[in-house]
Amino acid sequence: MKFCKQYQEYMQGQKKKLPGLGIKNLKKILKKCRSDLQCHNGIDGVLGNQTCPDHCTVCDGTFFPSLVKEMSEVVGSFNKHAQKLLEQHLASGFNKCFMWFRGKQRKNQHVTLIQEGKELVTYALINAIAIRKILKKYDKVHYSKQGQAFKTQAQSMHIEILQSPWLSELMAFHINLRESKIKSRNAPGFFEACNLTFNDDGKPSLTCELFDSVKVDIDLTCSICLDTVFDPYSLTCGHIFCYMCACSSASVSIVDKLKSAEPKGKCPLCREAGVYEGAVPLEELRILLRRRCSEYWEERRQAERLERMRLIKQHWDNQTKAMMGI
Protein backbone atom coordinates (compact mmCIF):
# COMPACT_ATOMS: atom_id res chain seq x y z
CA MET A 1 0.00 0.00 0.00
CA LYS A 2 1.33 3.44 -0.93
CA PHE A 3 2.14 5.64 2.03
CA CYS A 4 -0.26 8.40 0.95
CA LYS A 5 -3.20 5.99 1.14
CA GLN A 6 -1.89 4.44 4.37
CA TYR A 7 -1.58 7.90 5.92
CA GLN A 8 -5.11 8.91 4.91
CA GLU A 9 -6.57 5.70 6.32
CA TYR A 10 -4.68 6.26 9.57
CA MET A 11 -5.90 9.85 9.92
CA GLN A 12 -9.49 8.87 9.13
CA GLY A 13 -9.38 6.00 11.64
CA GLN A 14 -8.32 8.13 14.61
CA LYS A 15 -10.62 8.15 17.62
CA LYS A 16 -9.63 11.73 18.36
CA LYS A 17 -9.70 13.77 15.18
CA LEU A 18 -6.30 15.46 15.20
CA PRO A 19 -5.01 17.70 12.39
CA GLY A 20 -2.79 16.20 9.71
CA LEU A 21 -0.97 17.02 6.49
CA GLY A 22 -2.91 17.51 3.26
CA ILE A 23 -0.54 15.25 1.33
CA LYS A 24 -2.84 15.05 -1.71
CA ASN A 25 -3.11 18.83 -1.98
CA LEU A 26 0.66 19.27 -1.55
CA LYS A 27 1.28 16.69 -4.27
CA LYS A 28 -1.15 18.52 -6.56
CA ILE A 29 0.86 21.71 -6.07
CA LEU A 30 4.06 19.88 -7.05
CA LYS A 31 2.33 18.26 -10.01
CA LYS A 32 1.11 21.64 -11.23
CA CYS A 33 4.60 23.07 -10.88
CA ARG A 34 6.05 20.19 -12.91
CA SER A 35 3.36 20.56 -15.58
CA ASP A 36 3.87 24.32 -15.83
CA LEU A 37 7.62 23.89 -16.13
CA GLN A 38 7.22 21.22 -18.82
CA CYS A 39 4.91 23.47 -20.84
CA HIS A 40 7.27 26.40 -20.41
CA ASN A 41 10.23 24.38 -21.73
CA GLY A 42 8.24 22.46 -24.33
CA ILE A 43 9.17 19.13 -22.77
CA ASP A 44 6.99 16.09 -22.66
CA GLY A 45 7.57 13.52 -19.97
CA VAL A 46 10.83 13.68 -18.04
CA LEU A 47 12.29 17.07 -17.20
CA GLY A 48 15.88 16.10 -17.84
CA ASN A 49 18.18 18.66 -16.20
CA GLN A 50 15.58 21.46 -16.07
CA THR A 51 14.98 22.90 -12.62
CA CYS A 52 12.33 25.03 -11.01
CA PRO A 53 13.20 28.77 -10.88
CA ASP A 54 14.75 30.05 -7.64
CA HIS A 55 11.59 32.02 -6.88
CA CYS A 56 8.85 29.69 -8.05
CA THR A 57 5.50 31.38 -7.43
CA VAL A 58 3.74 28.00 -7.22
CA CYS A 59 6.08 26.38 -4.70
CA ASP A 60 7.39 29.30 -2.66
CA GLY A 61 4.02 31.01 -2.66
CA THR A 62 1.81 27.98 -1.97
CA PHE A 63 3.66 24.76 -1.13
CA PHE A 64 5.86 25.90 1.75
CA PRO A 65 3.30 28.25 3.38
CA SER A 66 0.72 25.42 3.29
CA LEU A 67 3.23 22.96 4.74
CA VAL A 68 4.28 25.39 7.51
CA LYS A 69 0.65 25.98 8.48
CA GLU A 70 -0.18 22.26 8.60
CA MET A 71 3.01 21.36 10.48
CA SER A 72 2.26 24.07 13.05
CA GLU A 73 -1.24 22.68 13.60
CA VAL A 74 0.07 19.11 13.94
CA VAL A 75 2.81 19.91 16.47
CA GLY A 76 0.54 22.30 18.39
CA SER A 77 -2.18 19.67 18.74
CA PHE A 78 0.36 16.98 19.67
CA ASN A 79 1.94 19.16 22.38
CA LYS A 80 -1.46 20.09 23.81
CA HIS A 81 -2.76 16.51 24.03
CA ALA A 82 0.54 15.07 25.29
CA GLN A 83 0.83 17.71 28.02
CA LYS A 84 -2.75 17.10 29.13
CA LEU A 85 -2.26 13.31 29.27
CA LEU A 86 0.97 13.56 31.26
CA GLU A 87 -0.57 16.04 33.70
CA GLN A 88 -3.27 13.46 34.41
CA HIS A 89 -0.68 10.75 34.98
CA LEU A 90 1.50 12.87 37.26
CA ALA A 91 -1.36 14.53 39.15
CA SER A 92 -1.28 14.07 42.92
CA GLY A 93 -3.13 15.19 46.02
CA PHE A 94 -5.93 17.69 45.50
CA ASN A 95 -5.36 17.90 41.74
CA LYS A 96 -5.82 14.15 41.36
CA CYS A 97 -9.04 14.19 43.39
CA PHE A 98 -10.28 17.17 41.41
CA MET A 99 -9.67 15.37 38.11
CA TRP A 100 -11.37 12.26 39.41
CA PHE A 101 -14.49 14.16 40.45
CA ARG A 102 -14.65 15.84 37.07
CA GLY A 103 -14.60 12.43 35.44
CA LYS A 104 -11.32 12.91 33.67
CA GLN A 105 -9.87 9.77 35.12
CA ARG A 106 -12.05 6.75 34.51
CA LYS A 107 -12.06 3.34 36.25
CA ASN A 108 -9.38 1.90 34.00
CA GLN A 109 -7.36 5.09 33.96
CA HIS A 110 -4.02 3.39 33.34
CA VAL A 111 -5.45 1.42 30.42
CA THR A 112 -6.78 4.64 28.93
CA LEU A 113 -3.54 6.55 29.49
CA ILE A 114 -1.46 3.77 27.93
CA GLN A 115 -3.63 3.65 24.82
CA GLU A 116 -3.83 7.42 24.42
CA GLY A 117 -0.07 7.75 24.88
CA LYS A 118 0.60 5.05 22.29
CA GLU A 119 -1.72 6.75 19.82
CA LEU A 120 0.04 10.08 20.34
CA VAL A 121 3.51 8.59 19.77
CA THR A 122 2.24 6.87 16.61
CA TYR A 123 0.63 10.15 15.51
CA ALA A 124 3.96 11.96 15.93
CA LEU A 125 5.97 9.36 14.02
CA ILE A 126 3.57 8.90 11.11
CA ASN A 127 3.40 12.67 10.61
CA ALA A 128 7.19 12.84 10.73
CA ILE A 129 7.25 10.24 7.94
CA ALA A 130 4.66 12.21 5.95
CA ILE A 131 6.75 15.37 6.21
CA ARG A 132 9.91 13.54 5.21
CA LYS A 133 8.22 11.99 2.16
CA ILE A 134 6.61 15.19 0.88
CA LEU A 135 9.92 17.09 1.16
CA LYS A 136 11.68 14.24 -0.62
CA LYS A 137 9.04 14.52 -3.36
CA TYR A 138 9.68 18.25 -3.57
CA ASP A 139 13.41 17.69 -4.13
CA LYS A 140 12.70 15.00 -6.71
CA VAL A 141 10.42 17.29 -8.72
CA HIS A 142 12.81 20.24 -8.58
CA TYR A 143 16.14 18.42 -8.71
CA SER A 144 17.10 20.43 -5.64
CA LYS A 145 17.92 20.15 -1.95
CA GLN A 146 15.50 22.85 -0.81
CA GLY A 147 13.25 20.26 0.80
CA GLN A 148 16.09 18.98 2.95
CA ALA A 149 17.11 22.55 3.81
CA PHE A 150 13.54 23.26 4.93
CA LYS A 151 14.00 20.79 7.80
CA THR A 152 16.51 23.15 9.43
CA GLN A 153 14.08 26.04 9.02
CA ALA A 154 11.29 23.95 10.56
CA GLN A 155 13.44 23.23 13.60
CA SER A 156 14.16 26.93 14.14
CA MET A 157 10.39 27.58 13.90
CA HIS A 158 9.71 24.79 16.45
CA ILE A 159 7.32 22.98 14.11
CA GLU A 160 9.39 19.80 13.77
CA ILE A 161 7.36 17.24 15.71
CA LEU A 162 10.31 14.96 16.52
CA GLN A 163 11.88 17.98 18.22
CA SER A 164 9.00 18.32 20.70
CA PRO A 165 9.98 17.76 24.35
CA TRP A 166 6.61 16.08 24.87
CA LEU A 167 7.68 13.22 22.58
CA SER A 168 10.57 12.28 24.88
CA GLU A 169 8.21 12.62 27.85
CA LEU A 170 5.68 10.24 26.25
CA MET A 171 8.42 7.73 25.49
CA ALA A 172 9.61 7.84 29.11
CA PHE A 173 5.98 7.62 30.25
CA HIS A 174 5.49 4.31 28.39
CA ILE A 175 8.68 2.82 29.76
CA ASN A 176 7.71 3.89 33.29
CA LEU A 177 4.29 2.25 33.02
CA ARG A 178 5.77 -0.87 31.50
CA GLU A 179 8.19 -1.23 34.39
CA SER A 180 5.70 -0.37 37.12
CA LYS A 181 4.02 -3.04 39.24
CA ILE A 182 0.54 -1.91 38.25
CA LYS A 183 -1.28 -4.69 36.43
CA SER A 184 -4.74 -4.97 34.99
CA ARG A 185 -6.59 -7.85 33.38
CA ASN A 186 -8.00 -5.53 30.76
CA ALA A 187 -4.77 -3.66 30.08
CA PRO A 188 -3.55 -3.78 26.47
CA GLY A 189 0.01 -4.82 25.73
CA PHE A 190 2.48 -2.17 26.80
CA PHE A 191 4.09 -0.13 24.06
CA GLU A 192 7.25 -2.15 23.30
CA ALA A 193 8.58 0.23 20.64
CA CYS A 194 9.99 2.68 23.22
CA ASN A 195 13.11 1.74 25.15
CA LEU A 196 15.89 3.17 27.29
CA THR A 197 19.19 1.87 25.91
CA PHE A 198 22.79 2.24 27.07
CA ASN A 199 25.89 2.46 24.88
CA ASP A 200 29.26 0.88 25.61
CA ASP A 201 30.18 3.81 27.88
CA GLY A 202 26.97 3.41 29.87
CA LYS A 203 25.40 6.59 28.46
CA PRO A 204 21.60 6.31 28.06
CA SER A 205 19.38 7.13 25.09
CA LEU A 206 15.63 7.03 24.47
CA THR A 207 14.81 5.07 21.32
CA CYS A 208 11.60 4.39 19.47
CA GLU A 209 11.05 2.69 16.12
CA LEU A 210 7.68 1.85 14.61
CA PHE A 211 7.53 1.67 10.84
CA ASP A 212 9.11 2.82 7.60
CA SER A 213 12.55 2.78 9.24
CA VAL A 214 11.85 6.01 11.15
CA LYS A 215 13.74 5.78 14.40
CA VAL A 216 13.80 8.35 17.18
CA ASP A 217 17.06 8.33 19.13
CA ILE A 218 17.30 10.95 21.89
CA ASP A 219 20.70 11.29 23.55
CA LEU A 220 20.38 11.77 27.31
CA THR A 221 23.89 13.09 27.87
CA CYS A 222 24.08 16.73 28.92
CA SER A 223 26.43 18.51 26.51
CA ILE A 224 27.56 20.88 29.29
CA CYS A 225 28.64 18.52 32.08
CA LEU A 226 29.02 15.56 29.68
CA ASP A 227 27.19 13.25 32.08
CA THR A 228 23.71 11.69 32.11
CA VAL A 229 21.15 14.48 32.46
CA PHE A 230 20.07 15.08 36.05
CA ASP A 231 16.79 16.89 36.75
CA PRO A 232 16.33 17.17 32.96
CA TYR A 233 14.89 20.21 31.21
CA SER A 234 14.23 20.60 27.51
CA LEU A 235 14.79 24.00 25.92
CA THR A 236 12.41 25.07 23.17
CA CYS A 237 14.99 24.06 20.55
CA GLY A 238 14.56 20.47 21.76
CA HIS A 239 17.97 19.99 23.41
CA ILE A 240 17.98 18.47 26.88
CA PHE A 241 20.21 19.63 29.74
CA CYS A 242 20.55 19.21 33.49
CA TYR A 243 18.58 21.94 35.24
CA MET A 244 21.61 23.45 36.99
CA CYS A 245 23.66 23.27 33.78
CA ALA A 246 20.89 25.08 31.89
CA CYS A 247 20.70 27.76 34.60
CA SER A 248 24.45 28.20 34.43
CA SER A 249 24.43 28.54 30.63
CA ALA A 250 21.58 31.08 30.86
CA SER A 251 23.46 33.03 33.57
CA VAL A 252 20.56 32.83 36.02
CA SER A 253 20.39 31.53 39.58
CA ILE A 254 18.43 28.39 40.43
CA VAL A 255 16.25 30.64 42.60
CA ASP A 256 15.27 32.95 39.73
CA LYS A 257 14.83 29.92 37.42
CA LEU A 258 15.11 29.67 33.64
CA LYS A 259 12.15 31.93 32.92
CA SER A 260 14.22 34.86 34.15
CA ALA A 261 16.86 34.29 31.46
CA GLU A 262 17.54 36.98 28.87
CA PRO A 263 14.93 36.81 26.08
CA LYS A 264 17.71 36.39 23.52
CA GLY A 265 19.59 33.78 25.54
CA LYS A 266 21.08 31.10 23.26
CA CYS A 267 21.16 27.33 23.51
CA PRO A 268 24.75 26.28 24.36
CA LEU A 269 24.55 23.50 21.75
CA CYS A 270 22.77 24.85 18.65
CA ARG A 271 23.06 28.59 19.48
CA GLU A 272 19.38 29.25 18.79
CA ALA A 273 18.16 32.36 20.60
CA GLY A 274 15.17 32.72 22.95
CA VAL A 275 15.08 29.09 24.08
CA TYR A 276 14.90 29.41 27.87
CA GLU A 277 11.55 31.02 28.62
CA GLY A 278 9.54 28.05 27.34
CA ALA A 279 11.82 25.38 28.84
CA VAL A 280 9.93 22.22 29.89
CA PRO A 281 10.76 20.11 32.99
CA LEU A 282 10.84 16.45 31.91
CA GLU A 283 9.21 14.79 34.91
CA GLU A 284 8.61 11.36 33.34
CA LEU A 285 12.21 11.23 32.13
CA ARG A 286 13.42 12.20 35.61
CA ILE A 287 11.40 9.32 37.13
CA LEU A 288 12.77 6.88 34.53
CA LEU A 289 16.42 7.83 35.03
CA ARG A 290 16.03 7.81 38.82
CA ARG A 291 14.79 4.20 38.59
CA ARG A 292 17.20 2.87 35.97
CA CYS A 293 20.33 4.76 37.06
CA SER A 294 19.66 4.65 40.81
CA GLU A 295 23.28 4.65 42.03
CA TYR A 296 24.34 7.48 39.74
CA TRP A 297 21.17 9.41 40.54
CA GLU A 298 21.71 9.19 44.32
CA GLU A 299 25.36 10.27 44.04
CA ARG A 300 24.39 13.20 41.82
CA ARG A 301 21.49 14.14 44.10
CA GLN A 302 23.70 14.34 47.17
CA ALA A 303 26.37 16.34 45.34
CA GLU A 304 23.85 18.77 43.86
CA ARG A 305 22.06 19.21 47.16
CA LEU A 306 25.18 20.77 48.68
CA GLU A 307 25.81 22.84 45.58
CA ARG A 308 22.22 24.10 45.48
CA MET A 309 22.37 25.11 49.14
CA ARG A 310 25.59 27.03 48.45
CA LEU A 311 24.10 28.79 45.41
CA ILE A 312 20.87 29.67 47.23
CA LYS A 313 22.84 31.11 50.19
CA GLN A 314 25.05 33.06 47.78
CA HIS A 315 21.98 34.40 45.97
CA TRP A 316 20.28 35.68 49.12
CA ASP A 317 23.54 37.10 50.47
CA ASN A 318 23.88 39.11 47.26
CA GLN A 319 20.25 40.23 47.50
CA THR A 320 20.75 41.34 51.11
CA LYS A 321 23.92 43.27 50.24
CA ALA A 322 22.15 44.95 47.33
CA MET A 323 19.27 46.03 49.58
CA MET A 324 21.69 47.40 52.18
CA GLY A 325 23.73 49.17 49.53
CA ILE A 326 26.89 47.27 50.41
Side-chain angles (χ1 to χ4, degrees), residues 65 84 86 88 108 120 126 156-157 182 209 265 276 294 311:
K84 184 178 178 182
L86 291 167
Q88 290 183 41
N108 294 325
L120 282 172
I126 199 168
S156 65
M157 296 170 68
I182 299 171
E209 185 173 7
Y276 291 101
S294 56
L311 291 174

Side-chain angles (χ1 to χ4, degrees), residues 69-275:
K69 181 177 180 294
E70 291 168 359
M71 287 176 68
S72 299
E73 291 174 351
V74 166
V75 75
S77 180
F78 171 77
N79 288 344
K80 177 183 176 182
H81 284 83
Q83 184 176 4
K84 184 178 178 182
L85 181 147
L86 291 167
E87 283 176 351
Q88 290 183 41
H89 181 237
L90 294 170
S92 60
F94 176 77
N95 289 332
K96 193 167 188 176
C97 293
F98 182 69
M99 287 183 179
W100 184 83
F101 280 116
R102 289 186 63 183
K104 289 190 174 181
Q105 292 190 332
R106 296 174 285 277
K107 292 181 180 180
N108 294 325
Q109 57 178 326
H110 280 85
V111 176
T112 304
L113 291 177
I114 293 165
Q115 190 59 37
E116 288 183 1
K118 178 179 179 179
E119 289 170 359
L120 282 172
V121 173
T122 305
Y123 172 77
L125 294 187
I126 199 168
N127 275 284
I129 296 169
I131 293 165
R132 185 187 69 177
K133 285 187 176 292
I134 197 65
L135 291 175
K136 187 176 180 180
K137 182 73 173 177
Y138 178 94
D139 284 345
K140 185 177 179 181
V141 168
H142 298 88
Y143 298 93
S144 74
K145 293 184 179 179
Q146 282 182 274
Q148 295 301 311
F150 176 76
K151 290 182 179 180
T152 302
Q153 182 184 350
Q155 290 177 354
S156 65
M157 296 170 68
H158 305 150
I159 57 174
E160 166 58 71
I161 198 164
L162 296 185
Q163 182 188 19
S164 170
W166 298 108
L167 180 58
S168 57
E169 273 289 83
L170 279 176
M171 291 165 63
F173 158 78
H174 277 291
I175 300 170
N176 286 335
L177 284 183
R178 192 169 67 213
E179 295 179 351
S180 70
K181 296 180 180 179
I182 299 171
K183 297 181 180 179
S184 172
R185 293 180 181 179
N186 299 320
F190 282 101
F191 198 28
E192 299 293 342
C194 298
N195 291 286
L196 180 69
T197 60
F198 295 85
N199 64 15
D200 294 338
D201 296 328
K203 300 296 183 182
S205 296
L206 277 177
T207 62
C208 188
E209 185 173 7
L210 282 186
F211 36 63
D212 204 55
S213 301
V214 167
K215 182 178 182 180
V216 181
D217 194 346
I218 302 172
D219 185 13
L220 299 179
T221 300
C222 174
S223 61
I224 296 176
C225 66
L226 303 180
D227 216 332
T228 300
V229 288
F230 180 83
D231 196 5
Y233 266 67
S234 174
L235 306 187
T236 55
C237 58
H239 292 119
I240 300 173
F241 300 94
C242 305
Y243 177 65
M244 286 186 62
C245 291
C247 287
S248 176
S249 69
S251 300
V252 297
S253 72
I254 59 173
V255 177
D256 292 330
K257 302 181 180 180
L258 290 175
K259 289 185 178 180
S260 64
E262 287 292 325
K264 294 184 179 180
K266 296 181 179 180
C267 170
L269 191 58
C270 67
R271 308 308 297 165
E272 183 181 334
V275 294

Side-chain angles (χ1 to χ4, degrees), residues 51-65:
T51 60
C52 181
D54 290 337
H55 300 288
C56 171
T57 55
V58 175
C59 296
D60 295 346
T62 308
F63 179 85
F64 285 115

